[in-house]
Amino acid sequence: MLAQNKNKITGETSVIMSYDGKLLADIIKNVHRHLRKELRKTGDTNSVWTNHCRNVALLETYASSMHQLASKHWEQLRVNNPATSRINWTWSFLLYYFFNGGLEIQRQKSGSNTDWPKLMLKESKISVLDVGSCYNPFGEFEELDVLSIDLCPALESVYQCDFLQVAIGKKIAIDGSRVTCLATNHFHCIVFSFLLEYFPASSQRWTCCEKAQKLLAEEGLLIIITPDSKAAHSNSKVMKSWREALAAIGLKRIKYEKLQHAHCMAFRKISVHSEITCEEREILASKMYIPQDFHCPSDSETEDKDDIKFSEAELAEGFTHLPMLTD
């Protein structure tokens, strides 16, 4: 579990992750490293992902480790310091946007004469698609109607679904514990919380965002949360590049906040009047990069063999399992 140490000089209390928590983080971190290494070796995005999805034992180990890390360690940190929680941030912004005037403010800011239709909420609930959910953390909020999906769910409340490959149609289709089709223009919110860094290629991240744009109702929100323990300006170029790419498909960033260990962003779906070409799509996909995409083979070998040093605060948050936005 988590231990607390009190600084005798400042009186501040810090939370330090147990040895068990660090082992869980290492399991997850190594899966991500392996994916990046395999892509650098083969250059074949599809085969790397297909082979990964077929490795059921690895996926189950990953899911179990993530569930334990999140429910035992991150949840305690969330209780101790709610302001650092990506879950709380997302829930609070959804309430503001849909129930407390945020949507109306964005309509006024648009400066257009668009006669916006009323955004209908089913039974006054916000329809949320939580992608890469693992353990359905948003299920506790009564204001949300959540469909949680994951490549390999840790709990029965989460449906199995490969978001990269799932079909898109007029209706949601569920076969037992699997989601086989998602509906266009359906969801009020789609959440990518620590999702995009999982994928070893920028093209896969772009595919996820394009698919989210199609699944969102107009004026719906795409929430993207990505880990970073550095100062906000340290990776401003990465965040700017993502913002520019998503704006091209009608996902306008309306909220950005840097928490202690993460960038939190909300993108609002607006109308797009022109189709993008294949060439434009390739350029836009390249903008969804993370610094690890440019590591040379010698970098990856060092990364795999050497211990990467992080502060105890970062270890406590469990972020070392993800590819940080670090050069």
Side-chain angles (χ1 to χ4, degrees), residues 71-132:
S71 60
K72 292 182 180 179
H73 300 282
W74 291 0
E75 185 60 28
Q76 185 59 49
L77 290 161
R78 177 186 171 200
V79 171
N80 291 339
N81 192 353
T84 65
S85 168
R86 71 196 191 284
I87 305 300
N88 289 352
W89 186 92
T90 301
W91 172 64
S92 297
F93 188 74
L94 292 183
L95 294 187
Y96 160 74
Y97 181 79
F98 287 104
F99 296 134
N100 297 319
L103 173 56
E104 287 71 21
I105 290 174
Q106 290 302 319
R107 288 178 171 180
Q108 294 172 7
K109 284 184 177 181
S110 67
S112 68
N113 295 321
T114 303
D115 184 16
W116 296 99
K118 184 177 181 180
L119 189 59
M120 301 300 293
L121 301 180
K122 183 180 179 181
E123 299 178 352
S124 298
K125 288 195 174 186
I126 303 165
S127 174
V128 176
L129 176 66
D130 184 15
V131 184

Side-chain angles (χ1 to χ4, degrees), residues 243-258:
R243 175 171 55 82
E244 291 174 348
L246 296 184
I249 55 172
L251 293 171
K252 180 182 179 182
R253 197 177 77 182
I254 62 170
K255 178 68 174 179
Y256 167 81
E257 187 171 353
K258 177 65 170 68

Side-chain angles (χ1 to χ4, degrees), residues 62-233:
Y62 182 99
S64 176
S65 300
M66 176 63 85
H67 179 218
Q68 292 180 63
L69 188 64
S71 60
K72 292 182 180 179
H73 300 282
W74 291 0
E75 185 60 28
Q76 185 59 49
L77 290 161
R78 177 186 171 200
V79 171
N80 291 339
N81 192 353
T84 65
S85 168
R86 71 196 191 284
I87 305 300
N88 289 352
W89 186 92
T90 301
W91 172 64
S92 297
F93 188 74
L94 292 183
L95 294 187
Y96 160 74
Y97 181 79
F98 287 104
F99 296 134
N100 297 319
L103 173 56
E104 287 71 21
I105 290 174
Q106 290 302 319
R107 288 178 171 180
Q108 294 172 7
K109 284 184 177 181
S110 67
S112 68
N113 295 321
T114 303
D115 184 16
W116 296 99
K118 184 177 181 180
L119 189 59
M120 301 300 293
L121 301 180
K122 183 180 179 181
E123 299 178 352
S124 298
K125 288 195 174 186
I126 303 165
S127 174
V128 176
L129 176 66
D130 184 15
V131 184
S133 176
C134 182
Y135 67 107
N136 192 21
F138 294 102
E140 67 179 85
F141 300 112
E142 62 181 15
E143 301 90 350
L144 309 182
D145 178 19
V146 184
L147 175 60
S148 298
I149 61 174
D150 199 290
L151 187 62
C152 184
L155 298 179
E156 292 184 357
S157 59
V158 182
Y159 290 90
Q160 194 283 325
C161 180
D162 180 355
F163 190 69
L164 282 176
Q165 303 296 331
V166 68
I168 296 179
K170 293 182 179 179
K171 295 182 179 180
I172 296 173
I174 298 177
D175 181 8
S177 61
R178 296 177 59 247
V179 171
T180 59
C181 186
L182 293 168
T184 57
N185 305 309
H186 176 82
F187 296 97
H188 301 124
C189 174
I190 296 177
V191 178
F192 292 168
S193 179
F194 296 177
L195 172 78
L196 296 181
E197 303 77 17
Y198 186 115
F199 302 106
S202 61
S203 60
Q204 294 171 313
R205 299 175 206 123
W206 175 251
T207 297
C208 286
C209 293
E210 269 196 314
K211 187 166 285 189
Q213 195 273 348
K214 296 175 183 177
L215 297 173
L216 280 171
E218 190 158 345
E219 298 191 278
L221 297 177
L222 171 62
I223 302 293
I224 297 179
I225 301 175
T226 189
D228 191 354
S229 292
K230 300 178 75 174
H233 66 274

